[in-house]
Amino acid sequence: MAAKDLYEKDYYQILGVSKGADSAAIKKQYRKLARELHPDKTKGDKKLEDRFKAVSEAYDILSDDKKRREYDEVREAVKSGRVPPGFNGGGQGFNSGDFSDLFGPGGDIFSTLFGGARQRHGADLQTEASIGFKESIYGTELNLRLSPNGSTPANITTRVPAGIKDGAKIKIKGRGAPGAAGPGDLYVLIHVTPHPIFSRKDENIHVTLPIT
């Protein structure tokens, strides 16, 4: 199959699901169609055999999170004109071959279609912060001042949710290192300072009282 089929074919329409369908809905619909279109039932009907192959092909892409995400990105890039230099929307320059070859040795469809020219997001970064036991129970607001990769210091404010546990991480989207396709994310590792009386085990709070 030619690589251009990846952006010319609407696998959602072929499978009969919406673009926002979750994996369970995709699997359920595929099983339904596979039972209806299986060659054992269609008994040599060429049209239905081709339909069965198309459904299987669509499921191969949409059931794999990585392939599905990259398929969506390719279609969006072609549709909007946001494609790397040298890419021809008419399909010139693509090679034909086995479908699995389209994803390249690393399983990355962009490496095959765009010659490895895919832009990357910046690296994710991590920092640490300590909060008190009471703050971990009721939640609090963290004010951080960071300089990612030596950049100009920036003030970052984020909310610590109530009930957070020691060692948990908070994700702050888009506050990581810069990159060609946008910044990465920032992860804040939370340390909960021990309390002299109260402690937590799972979802329970324990009280330690001195005996006099």
Side-chain angles (χ1 to χ4, degrees):
M1 182 184 71
K4 67 178 181 179
D5 288 341
L6 282 174
Y7 63 85
E8 289 183 344
K9 289 186 177 182
D10 187 340
Y11 288 129
Y12 293 100
Q13 184 179 55
I14 291 172
L15 200 56
V17 296
S18 67
K19 189 175 180 180
D22 59 21
S23 58
I26 289 173
K27 186 174 184 178
K28 181 179 180 181
Q29 178 66 1
Y30 169 70
R31 286 182 171 179
K32 175 179 177 291
L33 293 176
R35 286 194 298 268
E36 295 174 356
L37 300 170
H38 196 278
D40 290 343
K41 287 190 174 182
T42 56
K43 301 185 183 302
D45 187 314
K46 185 65 168 60
K47 185 176 180 180
L48 293 180
E49 283 183 6
D50 290 342
R51 169 75 172 138
F52 177 73
K53 291 178 181 178
V55 166
S56 298
E57 182 181 291
Y59 182 69
D60 181 70
I61 293 292
L62 300 184
S63 63
D64 185 295
D65 289 342
K66 179 179 173 62
K67 290 181 181 180
R68 180 182 180 181
R69 181 177 65 254
E70 293 177 344
Y71 164 72
D72 289 341
E73 291 176 359
V74 168
R75 284 177 59 82
E76 180 60 30
V78 174
K79 180 180 178 181
S80 63
R82 295 181 293 103
V83 292
F87 177 80
N88 188 315
Q92 298 298 321
F94 286 117
N95 295 320
S96 298
D98 181 75
F99 183 77
S100 61
D101 292 340
L102 297 175
F103 290 89
D108 187 344
I109 192 172
F110 278 87
S111 297
T112 303
L113 296 184
F114 301 148
R118 184 183 184 185
Q119 292 182 326
R120 301 286 182 181
H121 283 81
D124 292 337
L125 301 178
Q126 179 171 301
T127 188
E128 300 181 15
S130 295
I131 61 174
F133 182 82
K134 183 178 179 180
E135 294 171 317
S136 74
I137 299 299
Y138 293 103
T140 187
E141 189 174 83
L142 275 182
N143 294 304
L144 307 170
R145 185 170 177 79
L146 303 172
S147 303
N149 290 352
S151 61
T152 303
N155 293 318
I156 300 173
T157 300
T158 188
R159 183 71 189 171
V160 177
I164 195 167
K165 297 180 180 179
D166 181 58
K169 290 182 180 180
I170 297 174
K171 177 181 178 181
I172 307 177
K173 190 172 179 62
R175 300 311 295 261
D185 299 325
L186 173 66
Y187 290 86
V188 183
L189 176 63
I190 299 297
H191 297 291
V192 179
T193 303
H195 192 278
I197 296 177
F198 298 102
S199 62
R200 178 177 178 177
K201 184 175 182 181
D202 298 325
E203 302 304 320
N204 300 313
I205 295 178
H206 296 254
V207 180
T208 302
L209 296 176
I211 299 176
T212 58

